[in-house]
Amino acid sequence: MKKIFSLLPVLLMIAVLFSPLDSAHAEKIIVKWGKITLKEGHIGKVIINKDTQLYKLDKDNKLTSVRTLKKGEEFGVYSKKTDKTHGILYGLGSSQFVKDSKSLTYQTPSKEKKELVGKERIWLRNPDFYENNKGEIVDLKNLQEAVLISSEKNSELSSLNIKIKIEDKYFTYQYVDESFIEASYLTKNPFKTFKFSDTIWNLIKNEEVQTGMNMDQVLLSWGYPDDLNSYDSNYIAIEQWIYGDILDGGAIYLYFDNGILTSWQEF
């Protein structure tokens, strides 16, 4: 279920209370390709079939041997050029090249691998039904892992439209609040950040709550409340979280004692 937030004090208080969900440190995807990690700028790789020389190319177009590359090694390729003097040269970075020969095999990465380079993993928060690129309506689960492919600003609204990939399917995730991205998705893996039981994780994935859950667990399950009230003393801390609006279809009030959910009311 999507939440709409309009109260700045609520957002500031939530941000202070739940810093573990901060999305400041995005998890970049590591694209393994054989023995190398595919990086931005790579156009392919060379596999060394037989010991071969690595060369340095100077400004006078002269090659100087640097070292011997051993059979079985693999290297990312940043450039490929045909030289009148030296033939086809594969650039491995830092002005270092190998000559094309039967001693090596040149390969290019698949479209799927190239697309993932430099991208981030995200975990969707309380997503609704979405139509994928194949026209299928899918009920995405809470904290569904996805790959953030692109992000475009919606000029008419203060929001983002993001394109995500889940397995081999693409989705457009619309109206993401640019100033409060954490309400729509996380960029830190919650399953690594928090150590909960399987029972609690199943409740969270199904967007359910039960008494005894702590605030982090409820926040992960239902998202950020639309409003909250709190009372603190030397002996007890009581909070009331409000989801929805009584004047707009109904609301649910959750009550926490010292950070633990003790009861709720539906209106």
Short mmCIF file of all heavy atoms in Angstrom, two decimals, residues 48-77:
data_model
loop_
_atom_site.label_atom_id
_atom_site.label_comp_id
_atom_site.label_asym_id
_atom_site.label_seq_id
_atom_site.Cartn_x
_atom_site.Cartn_y
_atom_site.Cartn_z
N ILE A 48 43.69 -15.60 -22.46
CA ILE A 48 45.03 -15.99 -22.91
C ILE A 48 45.08 -17.52 -23.07
O ILE A 48 44.97 -18.27 -22.11
CB ILE A 48 46.11 -15.52 -21.93
CG1 ILE A 48 45.96 -14.02 -21.63
CG2 ILE A 48 47.49 -15.83 -22.48
CD1 ILE A 48 46.00 -13.14 -22.86
N ASN A 49 45.20 -17.96 -24.32
CA ASN A 49 45.25 -19.39 -24.63
C ASN A 49 46.68 -19.94 -24.57
O ASN A 49 46.89 -21.14 -24.35
CB ASN A 49 44.70 -19.66 -26.03
CG ASN A 49 43.28 -19.15 -26.18
OD1 ASN A 49 42.47 -19.25 -25.26
ND2 ASN A 49 42.98 -18.58 -27.35
N LYS A 50 47.63 -19.04 -24.77
CA LYS A 50 49.04 -19.43 -24.76
C LYS A 50 49.83 -18.21 -24.31
O LYS A 50 49.45 -17.07 -24.62
CB LYS A 50 49.46 -19.85 -26.18
CG LYS A 50 50.89 -20.34 -26.29
CD LYS A 50 51.19 -20.73 -27.74
CE LYS A 50 52.62 -21.19 -27.90
NZ LYS A 50 52.93 -21.55 -29.32
N ASP A 51 50.88 -18.41 -23.54
CA ASP A 51 51.67 -17.28 -23.05
C ASP A 51 51.90 -16.27 -24.17
O ASP A 51 52.32 -16.63 -25.29
CB ASP A 51 53.02 -17.74 -22.51
CG ASP A 51 52.88 -18.53 -21.20
OD1 ASP A 51 51.72 -18.74 -20.77
OD2 ASP A 51 53.91 -18.90 -20.63
N THR A 52 51.60 -15.00 -23.87
CA THR A 52 51.75 -13.95 -24.89
C THR A 52 52.23 -12.66 -24.25
O THR A 52 52.10 -12.46 -23.04
CB THR A 52 50.41 -13.72 -25.61
OG1 THR A 52 50.59 -12.92 -26.76
CG2 THR A 52 49.39 -13.07 -24.69
N GLN A 53 52.79 -11.78 -25.05
CA GLN A 53 53.40 -10.57 -24.54
C GLN A 53 52.38 -9.43 -24.37
O GLN A 53 51.49 -9.24 -25.19
CB GLN A 53 54.51 -10.09 -25.48
CG GLN A 53 55.77 -10.96 -25.47
CD GLN A 53 56.40 -11.02 -24.09
OE1 GLN A 53 56.75 -10.00 -23.51
NE2 GLN A 53 56.57 -12.24 -23.57
N LEU A 54 52.58 -8.68 -23.27
CA LEU A 54 51.86 -7.44 -23.05
C LEU A 54 52.82 -6.31 -23.40
O LEU A 54 53.98 -6.31 -22.97
CB LEU A 54 51.43 -7.31 -21.58
CG LEU A 54 50.77 -6.00 -21.17
CD1 LEU A 54 49.41 -5.85 -21.84
CD2 LEU A 54 50.61 -5.91 -19.65
N TYR A 55 52.32 -5.33 -24.19
CA TYR A 55 53.18 -4.26 -24.69
C TYR A 55 52.72 -2.89 -24.20
O TYR A 55 51.54 -2.67 -23.92
CB TYR A 55 53.19 -4.24 -26.22
CG TYR A 55 53.75 -5.47 -26.86
CD1 TYR A 55 52.89 -6.49 -27.29
CD2 TYR A 55 55.12 -5.63 -27.07
CE1 TYR A 55 53.39 -7.64 -27.89
CE2 TYR A 55 55.62 -6.77 -27.68
CZ TYR A 55 54.76 -7.77 -28.09
OH TYR A 55 55.25 -8.90 -28.69
N LYS A 56 53.68 -1.98 -24.12
CA LYS A 56 53.42 -0.57 -23.88
C LYS A 56 53.57 0.15 -25.21
O LYS A 56 54.57 -0.05 -25.91
CB LYS A 56 54.41 -0.02 -22.85
CG LYS A 56 54.13 1.41 -22.40
CD LYS A 56 53.15 1.43 -21.25
CE LYS A 56 53.03 2.83 -20.65
NZ LYS A 56 52.09 2.87 -19.52
N LEU A 57 52.58 0.98 -25.56
CA LEU A 57 52.64 1.72 -26.82
C LEU A 57 53.02 3.16 -26.52
O LEU A 57 52.31 3.85 -25.78
CB LEU A 57 51.28 1.66 -27.52
CG LEU A 57 51.19 2.31 -28.91
CD1 LEU A 57 52.08 1.54 -29.91
CD2 LEU A 57 49.75 2.35 -29.39
N ASP A 58 54.15 3.61 -27.06
CA ASP A 58 54.59 4.97 -26.77
C ASP A 58 54.05 5.95 -27.81
O ASP A 58 53.36 5.57 -28.75
CB ASP A 58 56.12 5.05 -26.66
CG ASP A 58 56.84 4.71 -27.98
OD1 ASP A 58 56.21 4.83 -29.05
OD2 ASP A 58 58.03 4.33 -27.92
N LYS A 59 54.39 7.24 -27.61
CA LYS A 59 53.85 8.29 -28.50
C LYS A 59 54.38 8.18 -29.92
O LYS A 59 53.81 8.78 -30.85
CB LYS A 59 54.20 9.66 -27.91
CG LYS A 59 55.68 9.94 -27.79
CD LYS A 59 55.92 11.31 -27.17
CE LYS A 59 57.41 11.60 -27.04
NZ LYS A 59 57.65 12.94 -26.44
N ASP A 60 55.46 7.44 -30.12
CA ASP A 60 56.01 7.24 -31.46
C ASP A 60 55.47 5.97 -32.12
O ASP A 60 56.01 5.50 -33.13
CB ASP A 60 57.54 7.17 -31.39
CG ASP A 60 58.15 8.48 -30.91
OD1 ASP A 60 57.66 9.54 -31.30
OD2 ASP A 60 59.12 8.42 -30.12
N ASN A 61 54.44 5.39 -31.50
CA ASN A 61 53.79 4.17 -32.00
C ASN A 61 54.73 2.97 -31.98
O ASN A 61 54.63 2.06 -32.80
CB ASN A 61 53.27 4.39 -33.43
CG ASN A 61 52.18 3.38 -33.79
OD1 ASN A 61 51.36 3.02 -32.94
ND2 ASN A 61 52.18 2.92 -35.03
N LYS A 62 55.62 2.95 -30.99
CA LYS A 62 56.50 1.81 -30.82
C LYS A 62 56.03 0.96 -29.65
O LYS A 62 55.60 1.48 -28.62
CB LYS A 62 57.94 2.28 -30.57
CG LYS A 62 58.59 2.95 -31.77
CD LYS A 62 60.04 3.34 -31.47
CE LYS A 62 60.69 3.98 -32.67
NZ LYS A 62 62.10 4.38 -32.40
N LEU A 63 56.11 -0.36 -29.82
CA LEU A 63 55.71 -1.29 -28.77
C LEU A 63 56.93 -1.76 -27.99
O LEU A 63 57.93 -2.17 -28.57
CB LEU A 63 54.99 -2.50 -29.36
CG LEU A 63 53.63 -2.26 -30.01
CD1 LEU A 63 53.10 -3.55 -30.63
CD2 LEU A 63 52.64 -1.71 -28.99
N THR A 64 56.79 -1.70 -26.66
CA THR A 64 57.85 -2.20 -25.77
C THR A 64 57.26 -3.27 -24.88
O THR A 64 56.21 -3.06 -24.25
CB THR A 64 58.42 -1.06 -24.89
OG1 THR A 64 58.89 0.00 -25.73
CG2 THR A 64 59.55 -1.57 -24.03
N SER A 65 57.92 -4.41 -24.80
CA SER A 65 57.40 -5.51 -24.00
C SER A 65 57.40 -5.14 -22.52
O SER A 65 58.39 -4.61 -21.99
CB SER A 65 58.25 -6.77 -24.22
OG SER A 65 57.75 -7.84 -23.44
N VAL A 66 56.27 -5.42 -21.84
CA VAL A 66 56.14 -5.12 -20.41
C VAL A 66 56.30 -6.39 -19.59
O VAL A 66 57.09 -6.45 -18.65
CB VAL A 66 54.76 -4.47 -20.12
CG1 VAL A 66 54.57 -4.26 -18.61
CG2 VAL A 66 54.61 -3.16 -20.87
N ARG A 67 55.53 -7.40 -19.94
CA ARG A 67 55.62 -8.68 -19.25
C ARG A 67 54.91 -9.74 -20.07
O ARG A 67 54.28 -9.44 -21.09
CB ARG A 67 55.02 -8.60 -17.84
CG ARG A 67 53.51 -8.36 -17.79
CD ARG A 67 53.04 -8.19 -16.35
NE ARG A 67 51.62 -7.94 -16.24
CZ ARG A 67 50.69 -8.87 -16.08
NH1 ARG A 67 51.04 -10.17 -16.04
NH2 ARG A 67 49.41 -8.54 -15.97
N THR A 68 54.96 -10.97 -19.58
CA THR A 68 54.30 -12.07 -20.26
C THR A 68 52.99 -12.40 -19.56
O THR A 68 52.95 -12.58 -18.34
CB THR A 68 55.20 -13.32 -20.27
OG1 THR A 68 56.43 -13.02 -20.95
CG2 THR A 68 54.51 -14.48 -20.98
N LEU A 69 51.92 -12.43 -20.34
CA LEU A 69 50.62 -12.85 -19.81
C LEU A 69 50.53 -14.37 -19.91
O LEU A 69 50.87 -14.95 -20.94
CB LEU A 69 49.49 -12.20 -20.61
CG LEU A 69 49.53 -10.67 -20.71
CD1 LEU A 69 48.33 -10.15 -21.47
CD2 LEU A 69 49.61 -10.04 -19.32
N LYS A 70 50.09 -15.00 -18.84
CA LYS A 70 50.14 -16.46 -18.75
C LYS A 70 48.85 -17.11 -19.27
O LYS A 70 47.76 -16.54 -19.17
CB LYS A 70 50.37 -16.88 -17.30
CG LYS A 70 51.70 -16.38 -16.72
CD LYS A 70 52.90 -16.94 -17.48
CE LYS A 70 54.21 -16.51 -16.86
NZ LYS A 70 55.38 -17.06 -17.60
N LYS A 71 49.01 -18.31 -19.77
CA LYS A 71 47.88 -19.10 -20.26
C LYS A 71 46.83 -19.24 -19.15
O LYS A 71 47.15 -19.52 -18.00
CB LYS A 71 48.37 -20.49 -20.68
CG LYS A 71 47.25 -21.42 -21.15
CD LYS A 71 47.80 -22.79 -21.52
CE LYS A 71 46.65 -23.72 -21.92
NZ LYS A 71 47.16 -25.08 -22.30
N GLY A 72 45.57 -19.01 -19.54
CA GLY A 72 44.46 -19.13 -18.60
C GLY A 72 44.03 -17.82 -17.97
O GLY A 72 42.95 -17.72 -17.39
N GLU A 73 44.88 -16.78 -18.07
CA GLU A 73 44.51 -15.47 -17.51
C GLU A 73 43.49 -14.79 -18.42
O GLU A 73 43.40 -15.06 -19.62
CB GLU A 73 45.75 -14.59 -17.36
CG GLU A 73 46.73 -15.06 -16.29
CD GLU A 73 47.88 -14.10 -16.10
OE1 GLU A 73 48.52 -13.73 -17.11
OE2 GLU A 73 48.16 -13.72 -14.95
N GLU A 74 42.71 -13.88 -17.83
CA GLU A 74 41.72 -13.11 -18.57
C GLU A 74 41.85 -11.64 -18.19
O GLU A 74 42.12 -11.32 -17.03
CB GLU A 74 40.30 -13.60 -18.29
CG GLU A 74 40.06 -15.05 -18.69
CD GLU A 74 38.63 -15.52 -18.44
OE1 GLU A 74 37.76 -14.65 -18.15
OE2 GLU A 74 38.39 -16.74 -18.53
N PHE A 75 41.62 -10.75 -19.17
CA PHE A 75 41.77 -9.32 -18.94
C PHE A 75 40.66 -8.54 -19.64
O PHE A 75 40.29 -8.86 -20.77
CB PHE A 75 43.14 -8.83 -19.45
CG PHE A 75 44.31 -9.52 -18.80
CD1 PHE A 75 44.84 -10.68 -19.35
CD2 PHE A 75 44.85 -9.01 -17.62
CE1 PHE A 75 45.91 -11.32 -18.75
CE2 PHE A 75 45.92 -9.66 -17.01
CZ PHE A 75 46.45 -10.82 -17.57
N GLY A 76 40.16 -7.51 -18.95
CA GLY A 76 39.17 -6.64 -19.56
C GLY A 76 39.79 -5.77 -20.63
O GLY A 76 40.93 -5.31 -20.49
N VAL A 77 39.05 -5.55 -21.70
CA VAL A 77 39.54 -4.77 -22.84
C VAL A 77 38.77 -3.44 -22.90
O VAL A 77 37.54 -3.42 -22.89
CB VAL A 77 39.36 -5.54 -24.16
CG1 VAL A 77 39.70 -4.65 -25.36
CG2 VAL A 77 40.22 -6.80 -24.16
#
